[in-house]
Amino acid sequence: QSTPQLFSKSALESDGARLFTHAVFEEFQEEYKCSTNTLTSKGFSESNNMELNTVKDALRNRNFIVQYNPGTLESSCTCKLFERRGVPCRHILWIYLGNGLEKIPESSFAKRWTKDAVRDIKSNHKGCVGVGDVDIIDKKQIEMTKLWSEVHETMGVLIGREKEHVEDLCKLIKEFREKLLPSVPPMTKHQELEELLGCATNNEITILPPKILKNKGSGKRMLSNKAKAVACASKPKRMCNNCKQMAHHDKRNCPNPFVERPPQNVDDEEEEEEEVEEEEEEENEEDELED
């Protein structure tokens, strides 16, 4: 990888460019710029071999406390940027510059963001790949570690190359794998399922039909208009109280308009009219007496 452009001639920034990947170095460089321009000291004290520095951040208008151990070069800040991102914050870098450090301590960066992270990839006895300082117990694991390093370096070289180079590498890896593996016919899906479950499947499966549930309204179908007319015609006719005809309807659903019929007893109607007239005459007499 090419060396990124530096902001200054500081050895600390140069060490960050050598240490971090390009993407992480951009974030580190931004923190380094702020450490040289926007920070001032607001206090200093010592406690249990630890230096407590109060640093004022002009951009955030806040004070942050940085703990620094000159013996072990361990440091921590109340902004917690390192705990979140794995990159030293501007306040810690400001302390490093004040103490004249030329290299970033190992305790102040996460190894996963460095360029050397790929080189430390190693394989354990189960064939898993991991990053760390795990002790290698035999020569086979040493060779496996070298193999993984060669694979990752080769993949880095193939970036930007022609398509034919990638195809040639895939062909070589496939041929080598076929030499190592015995000629075994491919398994069927049934065999793959048995291997996955770890037991043989039962070939005889008895499935009974489900029980039929008969809910309210089930089993009936909607009748057509023709079927309704045939069913209605088969019923006996009855007298309608509205139209006074023998039909298949009654007064509620009679198709004819409502017919007002005169009262059956004419004498009763005449008596009612006479009673009304008598009541009116009595009321008139009472009004005259009052006047």
Side-chain angles (χ1 to χ4, degrees):
Q1 294 184 356
S2 59
T3 303
Q5 186 176 0
L6 301 180
F7 169 71
S8 65
K9 296 182 179 180
S10 172
L12 196 65
E13 185 184 8
S14 300
D15 187 62
R18 177 193 61 82
L19 191 65
F20 296 113
T21 60
H22 284 187
V24 179
F25 176 72
E26 291 180 359
E27 184 176 357
F28 169 81
Q29 192 176 44
E30 184 65 26
E31 294 295 322
Y32 179 82
K33 290 179 181 179
C34 294
S35 68
T36 59
N37 297 327
T38 62
L39 304 181
T40 55
S41 177
K42 287 297 181 180
F44 174 80
S45 62
E46 291 184 356
S47 176
N48 297 328
N49 297 326
M50 295 289 293
E51 295 181 358
L52 301 178
N53 297 271
T54 303
V55 182
K56 182 178 181 180
D57 193 332
L59 293 178
R60 303 179 185 178
N61 195 21
R62 287 183 55 189
N63 293 337
F64 296 93
I65 299 176
V66 180
Q67 295 183 1
Y68 175 67
N69 190 332
T72 60
L73 302 181
E74 294 181 354
S75 57
S76 64
C77 181
T78 55
C79 72
K80 301 297 181 181
L81 177 68
F82 174 72
E83 286 77 4
R84 297 194 309 270
R85 302 287 299 166
V87 177
C89 64
R90 62 193 69 178
H91 317 108
I92 293 177
L93 293 177
W94 187 77
I95 298 299
Y96 288 165
L97 291 173
N99 286 272
L101 295 184
E102 297 181 355
K103 290 187 176 181
I104 303 173
E106 293 185 0
S107 60
S108 297
F109 61 85
K111 200 170 186 179
R112 64 181 180 272
W113 303 134
T114 62
K115 298 176 183 178
D116 296 334
V118 175
R119 301 173 189 175
D120 292 338
I121 295 178
K122 43 179 66 68
S123 174
N124 57 21
H125 63 284
K126 295 182 181 179
C128 300
V129 180
V131 178
D133 298 327
V134 182
D135 295 333
I136 302 174
I137 59 176
D138 54 15
K139 293 183 179 180
K140 183 179 178 180
Q141 288 189 355
I142 296 176
E143 296 301 324
M144 290 291 292
T145 304
K146 293 180 181 179
L147 176 61
W148 278 111
S149 299
E150 291 294 334
V151 169
H152 282 275
E153 290 180 4
T154 304
M155 294 299 294
V157 172
L158 286 176
I159 297 175
R161 297 300 179 91
E162 298 293 334
K163 180 181 178 182
E164 290 75 12
H165 295 91
V166 181
E167 293 177 350
D168 293 340
L169 179 61
C170 293
K171 185 178 180 181
L172 290 174
I173 294 174
K174 186 176 180 180
E175 292 176 354
F176 182 75
R177 185 178 68 249
E178 291 176 352
K179 290 180 181 179
L180 295 178
L181 297 177
S183 57
V184 179
M187 293 189 299
T188 62
K189 288 190 174 182
H190 187 75
Q191 293 174 344
E192 292 178 357
L193 181 61
E194 289 182 346
E195 184 178 359
L196 177 63
L197 297 177
C199 61
T201 57
N202 189 6
N203 295 327
E204 296 181 0
I205 302 175
T206 303
I207 301 177
L208 299 177
K211 295 182 180 180
I212 299 176
L213 300 177
K214 195 166 184 180
N215 299 327
K216 183 179 180 180
S218 63
K220 297 181 180 179
R221 65 183 182 87
M222 300 292 291
L223 297 177
S224 62
N225 294 331
K226 183 178 179 181
K228 291 179 180 179
V230 172
C232 183
S234 62
K235 295 180 180 180
K237 295 182 179 181
R238 56 186 178 179
M239 175 65 69
C240 176
N241 292 330
N242 182 41
C243 61
K244 299 300 179 178
Q245 297 178 3
M246 298 297 293
H248 294 290
H249 61 265
D250 54 11
K251 186 177 181 180
R252 291 178 302 173
N253 52 12
C254 180
N256 300 317
F258 181 73
V259 179
E260 293 185 0
R261 297 193 175 277
Q264 296 179 356
N265 193 348
V266 179
D267 297 336
D268 294 340
E269 185 177 359
E270 292 178 354
E271 291 178 357
E272 290 180 359
E273 291 179 355
E274 290 177 357
E275 291 178 357
V276 172
E277 291 177 356
E278 290 177 358
E279 289 179 357
E280 291 179 353
E281 290 176 357
E282 291 177 358
E283 290 179 358
N284 294 330
E285 291 176 358
E286 290 178 356
D287 293 338
E288 291 176 356
L289 293 174
E290 289 179 356
D291 294 338

